[in-house]
Amino acid sequence: MSGTTTQARDELAIGGMTCASCAARVEKKLNRMPGVSATVNFATEKARVEYGGEVSVDDLIATVEKTGYTAQRPAPAVSANPPEPSPGGTSGQGAAASSTTEDGSGSCNGSHDGSHDRELAGLRQRLIISAALAVPVVLLSMVPSLQFQNWQWLCLTLAAPVVAWGAYPFHRAAWTNLRHGAATMDTLMSLGTLTAFGWSLWALFFGDAGMPGMRHGFDFTVVRSEGSSAIYLEAAAGVTAFLLLGRYLEARSKRKAGAALRALMELGAKDVVVLRAGREVRVPVEQLAVGDRFVVRPGEKVATDGTVVEGSSAVDASVLTGESAPVDVAPGDSVTGATVNTSGRLVVETTRVGSDTRLARMATLVEDAQSGKAEAQRLADRVSAVFVPVVLLVALGTLAGWLLATGDATASFTAAVAVLIIACPCALGLATPTALMVGTGRGAQLGILIKGPEVLESTRRIDTVVLDKTGTVTTGRMSLYEAVPAPGVTEDELLRLAGALEHSSEHPIARAVAEGARERLGTLPEPEHFENVAGLGVRGVVENRRVLVGRERLLREDPEGGTASGTLPEALSAARDAAETAGRTAVLVAWDGRPRGLLSVADTVKEGGAEAVRRLRALGLSPVLLTGDNQAVADAVAAEVDIDEVIAEVLPEDKVAVVERLRGEGRSVAMVGDGVNDAAALAAADLGLAMGTGTDAAIEAGDLTLVRGDLRVAPDAIRLARRTLATIKGNLFWAFGYNVAAIPLAAAGLLNPMIAGAAMAFSSVFVVSNSLRLRHFR
């Protein structure tokens, strides 16, 4: 791809894929186009394509169709904004995408889901009818005591519709692929069942199998017999029923695996009450624009991202963050679309709509992750691409080998058919996508966004976790730490007078003192003659007392400060020294010509910070605290959360250098941060964990996003990613191991074709079921 060409990125919904080798073929054909880079995911049935130059979406669709499959742009993922018309003859889909489904859910992905539901229903009907016809055939063929006069002709009557109609999807796909000069799993399935059925027809009409009184036994392995008297109707019908069962369970499981993303997409509100010219008007949420003000009553969902301008309430954000406790909001606070207002009436001003909203971006991140491929899956795809031709050669070799070795056409044919049927590596194609779908979907429910499969590999390797201090380990807001009254003064009196005066100031330290006093005492008196002394503090009159709050210099320079001689009472002097040693900011309070107390404020450690560090250690990670603050402040915070390694007084632009230095020491580094100044370090680390309460830049740079902003979610995120990776590896081991072990058994004549069909079907079901266990991650 040329670096000068602008690359466009698009997504196509691919139809007609039945196995991993189908996905590999489509991917290969797309990647052969000039300037095109494509990834095709069998589980999500989507192609993620980057293209440039002269290539258009229509060209991409045409290439897929020439390969024997269908392609179209999928419906928009999140209907928070009117869908834009897409070029290339798919305009009808956009309309379907934003329509409301029959159950009133208004699913934005309704058309796609509807087609999946119809496909699943059709598959279920085909399975039930085929199974009902196949069971008598299998029983009559396997149990000699049930075989009556001319039983074989009844079996033919029952098996014919199963092979012709029940297995029709396999035959149709095999024929389509044959026309395009390709072979897939369907080729193996179709060839296996048709060969078994064809042999049976020959034996019935031209051999001895159609004679009255013919008896037929069953063996789990290949047995030698007279070829003209052997029929394989039970293999043809039974294998078809097993294959349909496997495909039905696989399709249903894939739908379950993607349920978390669909639920995420459907969380948003469908309509909203907007304030227009002083009146409340209910409109579809798509009509909201940035700057609009809308009303959220108790029990209603917040329609989109915005800022509260009127009212106060508690908002339940559990659907997005996994956090159970509602969060209090008041004017000036931000709220996120899809969260639920639990109590008071709110008026919210819209700040983001459509694909810019937090919900839409979450859905996009999850979908991107589900569309990716782990390195192990790329290997599996390469194996799948060459697997079918190899299996056809092995089957022919098996047939020839048995004929040469034994001269027994029946045993030779049986072994060859067993090879064809057992070989299907569908489990290989499902191993990674299903685990990724379930893992990332479960993460989204818990407020953990995993960017892609490459991230999973990183979580396994990391041994050091660098924690940014402000906003990650600490709240990033000053809070009142302690109040030390002078002898003869009560703590309540100190807080009441200082808090009342500081309440009139906008300084962060003043706000911390005022909030701390109000939390402890409730209401505070109103100050008079308030004056802000730049850089030193504030003074004014509270309850007829002239009060000063600020630095020691303010008390020395003001006659009412009582420290003109330069001395503080011993108790206050000791408290000041202790506060400053611990990295806290000390504020002195005086009234009536004497120092009356000391207040210390500090950026407080987040709730659960120490627990999070303890859990990170339990995962085998060494925590490092990184901050631009001075060493005393950093050491105090590190001691509170039990971190031994502290790197302080680092400029924002030097955080990357710290990460690189740690990596240079041979460590594999994870970085947890939330600010703009953390974005570069997050990108430079082997694994970046962005706090979702932080800036967009940090979230974009991170590999994992912790939506809630609670540090305790970080070890959960790493555990989930590691669990997902372990599931993928377990799936791939089973899928590879199954084929490696099964094909030689079949070629050696140790497997009956029907047993082979059942085993093949259930290998896929096993892989998907193993992935679904991730839904129960806690």
Side-chain angles (χ1 to χ4, degrees):
M1 293 183 299
S2 169
T4 57
T5 306
T6 303
Q7 288 292 108
R9 190 177 183 187
D10 229 314
E11 197 174 68
L12 299 175
I14 308 295
M17 293 193 300
T18 53
C19 63
S21 57
C22 295
R25 277 191 64 227
V26 176
E27 188 173 297
K28 189 175 175 184
K29 291 284 187 184
L30 286 171
N31 283 323
R32 280 183 179 167
M33 297 175 73
V36 173
S37 173
T39 302
V40 180
N41 190 312
F42 171 50
T44 59
E45 297 176 349
K46 286 179 182 173
R48 185 64 55 87
V49 192
E50 286 187 14
Y51 57 98
E54 302 296 311
V55 178
S56 68
V57 176
D58 290 341
D59 296 332
L60 298 171
I61 290 171
T63 298
V64 175
E65 288 174 348
K66 278 181 197 163
T67 315
Y69 304 91
T70 63
Q72 59 182 7
R73 275 182 164 156
V78 179
S79 63
N81 235 17
E84 294 178 16
S86 55
T90 55
S91 56
Q93 205 174 344
S98 57
S99 64
T100 305
T101 53
E102 286 176 21
D103 64 357
S105 66
S107 167
C108 47
N109 220 15
S111 60
H112 199 58
D113 288 347
S115 66
H116 272 297
D117 289 339
R118 286 192 298 275
E119 187 182 325
L120 205 58
L123 200 51
R124 184 169 60 239
Q125 182 188 42
R126 197 176 291 269
L127 166 64
I128 290 168
I129 294 171
S130 298
L133 294 172
V135 166
V137 177
V138 171
L139 288 174
L140 285 169
S141 302
M142 288 173 63
V143 185
S145 61
L146 296 178
Q147 293 167 1
F148 50 84
Q149 192 85 344
N150 294 319
W151 63 273
Q152 65 270 46
W153 295 102
L154 174 63
C155 284
L156 175 64
T157 307
L158 294 173
V162 177
V163 174
W165 174 79
Y168 174 70
F170 308 128
H171 305 323
R172 182 184 58 200
W175 172 246
T176 302
N177 289 316
L178 184 63
R179 288 207 329 264
H180 291 89
T184 65
M185 303 308 127
D186 296 289
T187 310
L188 299 181
M189 297 173 189
S190 178
L191 198 58
T193 52
L194 287 176
T195 308
F197 189 72
W199 179 284
S200 303
L201 285 178
W202 177 83
L204 284 167
F205 286 100
F206 302 105
D208 301 329
M211 301 287 287
M214 190 274 268
R215 288 288 178 268
H216 193 288
F218 177 82
D219 203 294
F220 283 95
T221 60
V222 172
V223 288
R224 299 183 65 170
S225 65
E226 175 56 46
S228 61
S229 64
I231 58 173
Y232 292 95
L233 293 172
E234 83 284 358
V239 163
T240 298
F242 277 127
L243 294 177
L244 285 170
L245 175 63
R247 192 156 283 187
Y248 171 72
L249 292 174
E250 179 187 300
R252 198 178 69 170
S253 299
K254 273 161 61 177
R255 180 151 177 76
K256 274 188 196 171
L261 178 60
R262 284 195 301 279
L264 191 65
M265 290 173 173
E266 292 171 10
L267 283 176
K270 306 298 177 253
D271 50 32
V272 58
V273 175
V274 184
L275 293 175
R276 298 263 165 87
R279 291 189 310 115
E280 294 186 1
V281 183
R282 187 169 287 276
V283 299
V285 74
E286 291 87 0
Q287 293 181 16
L288 267 182
V290 174
D292 280 348
R293 293 192 173 191
F294 60 90
V295 177
V296 191
R297 295 186 178 87
E300 290 184 341
K301 286 181 180 177
V302 177
T304 191
D305 297 1
T307 305
V308 177
V309 290
E310 281 180 37
S312 58
S313 179
V315 172
D316 179 359
S318 58
V319 289
L320 293 185
T321 66
E323 187 174 20
S324 55
V327 179
D328 291 328
V329 294
D333 290 335
S334 297
V335 288
T336 305
T339 55
V340 179
N341 179 18
T342 61
S343 48
R345 177 183 183 271
L346 296 174
V347 176
V348 179
E349 184 171 310
T350 304
T351 55
R352 285 174 172 171
V353 294
S355 58
D356 289 336
T357 63
R358 200 170 183 195
L359 175 65
R361 286 165 60 227
M362 277 179 67
T364 301
L365 278 171
V366 174
E367 195 164 21
D368 284 350
Q370 293 183 350
S371 299
K373 292 188 181 183
E375 197 52 48
Q377 182 63 31
R378 294 186 187 281
L379 173 63
D381 286 349
R382 288 196 292 274
V383 170
S384 295
V386 298
F387 194 82
V388 177
V390 168
V391 169
L392 290 171
L393 289 174
V394 170
L396 283 172
T398 301
L399 180 66
W402 273 75
L403 279 172
L404 289 172
T406 66
D408 184 346
T410 307
S412 307
F413 168 78
T414 307
V417 169
V419 169
L420 287 175
I421 290 168
I422 196 82
C424 177
C426 284
L428 275 181
L430 293 167
T432 295
T434 52
L436 259 183
M437 287 169 77
V438 183
T440 53
R442 181 62 184 143
Q445 290 173 338
L446 297 173
I448 301 163
L449 301 182
I450 301 171
K451 272 205 174 165
E454 303 81 11
V455 173
L456 306 180
E457 302 281 354
S458 302
T459 59
R460 182 175 57 85
R461 291 192 299 267
I462 57 169
D463 52 36
T464 302
V465 58
V466 176
L467 304 171
D468 173 60
K469 181 185 78 71
T470 308
T472 302
V473 177
T474 64
T475 60
R477 297 189 310 274
M478 288 290 187
S479 300
L480 181 63
Y481 185 81
E482 66 177 344
V484 182
V489 179
T490 66
E491 192 174 312
D492 282 0
E493 185 180 20
L494 175 64
L495 286 171
R496 186 173 71 255
L497 298 179
L501 196 58
E502 293 280 52
H503 193 260
S504 298
S505 171
E506 289 299 313
H507 194 280
I509 293 174
R511 280 208 303 271
V513 170
E515 284 173 16
R518 197 168 61 242
E519 280 173 17
R520 210 166 302 186
L521 303 174
T523 57
L524 296 171
E526 284 292 325
E528 299 173 38
H529 310 297
F530 173 82
E531 182 189 354
N532 186 27
V533 184
L536 294 180
V538 294
R539 55 191 168 204
V541 177
V542 183
E543 294 181 346
N544 298 319
R545 289 171 173 171
R546 193 164 183 278
V547 182
L548 291 85
V549 184
R551 296 181 182 226
E552 190 175 347
R553 185 177 148 197
L554 176 66
L555 273 62
R556 278 204 306 270
E557 292 179 0
D558 192 296
E560 295 291 332
T563 58
S565 61
T567 58
L568 273 175
E570 190 177 332
L572 297 186
S573 181
R576 179 200 58 196
D577 293 343
E580 288 177 350
T581 302
R584 297 189 290 274
T585 302
V587 177
L588 290 161
V589 185
W591 65 79
D592 294 344
R594 284 175 53 199
R596 302 289 182 167
L598 175 138
L599 304 170
S600 69
V601 298
D603 179 8
T604 53
V605 170
K606 282 183 177 179
E607 182 187 350
E611 182 191 343
V613 171
R614 189 168 64 251
R615 288 168 56 193
L616 287 166
R617 282 189 196 279
L619 291 171
L621 306 176
S622 303
V624 178
L625 188 70
L626 178 65
T627 180
D629 269 352
N630 66 57
Q631 193 71 46
V633 173
D635 288 341
V637 171
E640 199 169 337
V641 295
D642 191 25
I643 294 178
D644 302 322
E645 194 173 349
V646 181
I647 304 171
E649 299 175 24
V650 177
L651 294 172
E653 56 270 26
D654 293 338
K655 288 185 177 181
V656 176
V658 170
V659 171
E660 295 290 4
R661 176 169 61 77
L662 291 170
R663 294 181 70 202
E665 292 171 5
R667 302 203 213 180
S668 187
V669 179
M671 168 81 189
V672 188
D674 76 322
V676 172
N677 56 14
D678 298 324
L682 287 167
D686 296 294
L687 179 71
L689 290 89
M691 306 296 272
T693 47
T695 62
D696 290 351
I699 292 168
E700 289 300 322
D703 300 308
L704 290 165
T705 300
L706 316 178
V707 178
R708 196 189 311 171
D710 184 339
L711 190 58
R712 285 172 293 190
V713 182
D716 288 337
I718 293 169
R719 276 198 313 116
L720 173 62
R722 285 179 174 179
R723 182 83 58 83
T724 305
L725 180 66
T727 302
I728 288 171
K729 293 197 165 179
N731 285 349
L732 286 168
F733 174 80
W734 166 262
F736 270 117
Y738 163 82
N739 281 309
V740 167
I743 291 175
L745 285 177
L750 299 175
L751 284 178
N752 180 284
M754 194 171 66
I755 303 302
M760 190 283 294
F762 284 106
S763 70
S764 294
V765 175
F766 170 84
V767 162
V768 177
S769 302
N770 190 43
S771 298
L772 288 172
R773 292 190 308 137
L774 286 167
R775 289 196 300 175
H776 306 297
F777 176 86
R778 291 283 178 271

